[in-house]
Amino acid sequence: MDAIVLLKEDHKTVEKLFKQFEKAGDDAAQEKRTIADRVIEELTVHAWIEEQLFYPAAREAAPDTKDHVLESIEEHHAVLWMLSELKGMEVSDERFDAKMSVLMENVRHHVEEEEQEWFPEVRKAMGRNELKDLGERMEAAKADAPKADPLAVPSA
Ligand SMILES: [Fe+2]
Ligand SMILES: [Fe+2]
């Protein structure tokens, strides 16, 4: 699969989970826990494959994306720390919903920048075959990603 298509599919999966979380009632503690745990796993794996493979390849193919990549890494850093806090926090904690809400704002902003501001430059610079080859390596790397440990991603 094309690397950028793969990343956008991940973004959609996460957005669906965010919508589910927003729809869950105030007392749906069990459901919120399940959704939050899936968000933690999806975003940890996603950040991992971006940092291990996509971001370095993007910088090499399109050096002008350097500042976007560096900003993205700092955004990952903040998100990964929030994920690690959510992991250890009870849903009943009065800070839980607020932390999820700030996480969602951060991730939505980050995804919008990736998709609108600099992924198109990477697509132009790489071409179809390189994107496909990179996508295959990213798909395979998902198996090695630290699923339940956000702080094991390099930018954390
Ligand atoms: Fe990212
Ligand atoms: Fe992303």
Side-chain angles (χ1 to χ4, degrees):
M1 188 192 278
D2 174 297
I4 292 177
V5 174
L6 182 155
L7 294 175
K8 286 185 174 176
E9 288 295 320
D10 281 358
H11 293 165
K12 269 190 223 158
T13 301
V14 170
E15 180 56 35
K16 265 186 215 154
L17 290 167
F18 286 174
K19 292 245 161 63
Q20 280 175 29
F21 187 89
E22 287 169 331
K23 263 195 244 156
D26 277 342
D27 40 30
Q30 189 66 53
E31 190 188 351
K32 283 184 180 175
R33 180 78 262 162
T34 305
I35 298 167
D37 287 342
R38 281 207 55 205
V39 166
I40 292 165
E41 188 175 323
E42 287 287 342
L43 286 175
T44 301
V45 172
H46 183 79
W48 171 268
I49 62 169
E50 282 188 338
E51 290 184 27
Q52 293 291 331
L53 293 161
F54 187 79
Y55 288 2
R59 259 180 91 164
E60 204 180 310
D64 285 353
T65 62
K66 180 184 171 198
D67 290 349
H68 284 301
V69 174
L70 290 174
E71 193 180 309
S72 292
I73 287 171
E74 293 314 312
E75 288 169 352
H76 280 193
H77 171 74
V79 163
L80 290 161
W81 274 89
M82 282 187 266
L83 294 174
S84 76
E85 290 166 352
L86 281 163
K87 209 186 138 187
M89 185 178 273
E90 298 285 343
V91 178
S92 58
D93 192 304
E94 67 171 4
R95 293 181 65 183
F96 189 87
D97 282 355
K99 203 176 281 291
M100 271 300 287
S101 170
V102 173
L103 173 88
M104 293 190 285
E105 279 172 18
N106 274 263
V107 171
R108 281 168 169 154
H109 160 85
H110 177 80
V111 163
E112 196 183 316
E113 285 191 344
E114 285 185 338
E115 293 193 3
Q116 309 297 326
E117 289 180 16
W118 63 279
F119 281 7
E121 276 182 62
V122 178
R123 172 173 298 290
K124 233 186 266 163
M126 269 190 200
R128 203 184 268 194
N129 288 341
E130 196 179 345
L131 281 166
K132 194 164 171 266
D133 174 65
L134 179 60
E136 275 158 23
R137 282 184 285 129
M138 284 159 57
E139 188 71 62
K142 283 191 172 192
D144 309 322
K147 288 188 175 54
D149 187 4
L151 299 186
V153 178
S155 70

